[in-house]
Amino acid sequence: MKTLAKKDINKALGIWAQKHALLAPTKMDNGDCIFSAYDEKAFTLDYKKPPLSPKSVFFPHTEVIFDVANNQYKETVTAKKSLIFGLRACDMMGICQASSFMTRDKEDIYYRAKHNTAATIVMACPGAQNETCFCTTTLSGPVAKEGFDLQLYDTGDSFLVEVGSPRGEELLAGIPLSDLDDSRAKVQMDEFKQNAILTMPEVKSVIEAMNMLKDKKVAEKVWDDFGAKCITCGGCAFVCPTCTCFNVYDQQLSEGNGKRLRAWDACLYGGFTREASGHNPRVSQAARLKRRHEHKLLDYSSIDIQQGLCGCVGCGRCSDYCPVHIGTLEVVKAIAG
Ligand code: SF4
Ligand code: SF4
């Protein structure tokens, strides 16, 4: 196996940045860390879970899907050769989940184009980033199992470099690397993973909640109580790496000219399911919250990347950012409790 010395990380990032739109963990003035265009001065290896997953690389908040000029329309499929450095295992699984959803029946060409041209370098997670992480329960982390091009394991002065795809192999061209005996590397990777798992809370209630939802044993009062608290801000959906609801709308620029766009939406908004007749099959906030959590916690289908586990990757962001503290973690605890 190859290793990359930590002192050479900016050299490697500089090489990758020559051929890619490179996103990397970036320290903001307020102390937050986000995935942003690589800048050697603001880049940091000392980061926790960024507030937003990198899903907008594949599924932007707003994007034009076709332009209309003189009453003729032209589809607009944009993609650039991007590279996301440093994402965590839960976010890697989030990309796999979202990609599986967006390309499963009728392929979403806008998503697919960006997905095909984006490379990923995962930074294996050294342990729970805060008290809301539960990736070990959803089998999404702390180490990515699939989807990545490269995965790095921080072993102190250097990183072990795990190659996940032929594109990952290509990314190593020109990077200053050393060799490490495969069996020693495997011992180090296993140790890294075990140490990380030890820091993770075991959230048994996730499995209990999944079973109770499957057996339709959740009392409606649970949803009524959460529905009464929810202020319909949509924040939980926007920070969630696996949420892919969107709305489509038109902008007329002049007679015969305009564009069609799509933008993030959320199943917790009343308008998301309201039909043209005015009928809404999910008429209350309680019904919408119930549907959201069924979608997160019940099996999607056997073709899902997690082989029928659930649509939540355990990143905990909905619990971190819900202003009234009713993220998925709180919901599963209430269901199971
Ligand atoms: S439902 Fe919450 S914990 Fe699960 S993946 Fe989405 S934001 Fe993360
Ligand atoms: S973040 Fe909380 S309050 Fe906002 S929509 Fe989601 S559940 Fe409701």
Side-chain angles (χ1 to χ4, degrees):
M1 179 171 269
K2 300 290 182 195
T3 65
L4 168 63
K6 231 177 226 181
K7 66 177 175 48
D8 290 331
I9 191 69
N10 275 305
K11 200 182 288 178
L13 287 160
I15 291 171
W16 290 324
Q18 286 168 16
K19 291 192 178 162
H20 302 83
L22 175 60
L23 295 180
T26 302
K27 234 349 165 235
M28 310 294 288
D29 291 342
N30 66 1
D32 279 355
C33 178
I34 60 166
F35 290 105
S36 187
Y38 170 65
D39 166 359
E40 186 174 343
K41 288 199 189 88
F43 166 72
T44 180
L45 281 169
D46 177 21
Y47 65 101
K48 297 276 185 198
K49 172 175 39 180
L52 291 171
S53 78
K55 82 172 167 186
S56 61
V57 172
F58 312 94
F59 177 44
H61 304 88
T62 305
E63 68 181 319
V64 177
I65 54 177
F66 63 73
D67 284 290
V68 180
N70 299 321
N71 291 312
Q72 302 291 313
Y73 86 87
K74 192 163 128 283
E75 213 147 28
T76 313
V77 181
T78 55
K80 54 185 169 193
K81 197 173 171 190
S82 50
L83 170 58
I84 311 167
F85 174 89
L87 69 169
R88 299 296 188 190
C90 57
D91 283 341
M92 188 67 245
M93 184 57 92
I95 292 169
C96 293
Q97 286 271 15
S99 161
S100 150
F101 179 76
M102 295 293 253
T103 57
R104 128 177 354 163
D105 299 323
K106 179 94 172 75
E107 184 163 89
D108 184 306
I109 54 171
Y110 312 101
Y111 188 96
R112 169 55 78 200
K114 295 174 191 54
H115 190 254
N116 282 350
T117 51
T120 48
I121 301 181
V122 169
M123 185 66 73
C125 200
Q129 309 267 297
N130 67 358
E131 65 288 351
T132 63
C133 289
F134 58 104
C135 66
T136 44
T137 318
T138 54
L139 305 187
S140 324
V143 168
K145 291 182 288 241
E146 54 201 302
F148 59 89
D149 295 301
L150 294 175
Q151 177 161 230
L152 307 186
Y153 295 70
D154 186 340
T155 57
D157 292 338
S158 61
F159 299 103
L160 293 171
V161 183
E162 182 182 13
V163 177
S165 71
R167 183 164 58 188
E169 198 69 61
E170 286 165 22
L171 283 171
L172 296 181
I175 304 295
L177 299 167
S178 305
D179 286 309
L180 181 70
D181 175 69
D182 278 354
S183 53
R184 272 188 63 198
K186 177 152 182 358
V187 170
Q188 289 188 18
M189 286 161 74
D190 288 347
E191 262 176 25
F192 181 99
K193 188 172 168 185
Q194 287 315 317
N195 288 336
I197 288 172
L198 285 178
T199 69
M200 294 285 179
E202 195 191 349
V203 190
K204 286 206 184 88
S205 39
V206 175
I207 310 295
E208 277 173 52
M210 285 162 82
N211 286 329
M212 287 179 68
L213 280 166
K214 190 160 64 179
D215 298 339
K216 301 196 184 314
K217 285 186 179 162
V218 181
E220 289 303 315
K221 184 172 181 329
V222 169
W223 304 116
D224 290 342
D225 289 349
F226 281 121
K229 285 184 187 156
C230 176
I231 57 168
T232 323
C233 67
C236 50
F238 298 151
V239 297
C240 178
T242 66
C243 276
T244 44
C245 290
F246 63 83
N247 192 12
V248 173
Y249 62 101
D250 293 338
Q251 255 180 14
Q252 186 175 27
L253 300 176
S254 60
E255 187 66 33
N257 297 295
K259 49 181 81 170
R260 174 159 290 184
L261 303 99
R262 74 169 171 189
W264 288 5
D265 203 342
C267 62
L268 288 168
Y269 292 156
F272 185 70
T273 45
R274 193 183 307 120
E275 297 165 7
S277 66
H279 169 69
N280 194 337
R282 289 181 221 145
V283 74
S284 66
Q285 201 58 12
R288 295 190 272 274
L289 271 164
K290 179 180 179 182
R291 182 65 199 119
R292 172 177 166 78
H293 288 94
E294 284 174 346
H295 201 216
K296 293 294 164 198
L297 297 168
L298 286 180
D299 296 359
Y300 271 1
S301 79
S302 57
I303 60 166
D304 248 347
I305 197 91
Q306 283 178 302
Q307 300 301 320
L309 252 176
C310 65
C312 168
V313 296
C315 73
R317 288 186 178 96
C318 53
S319 293
D320 291 334
Y321 296 107
C322 173
V324 293
H325 312 294
I326 54 169
T328 294
L329 208 46
E330 289 74 24
V331 168
V332 296
K333 285 178 181 165
I335 291 176

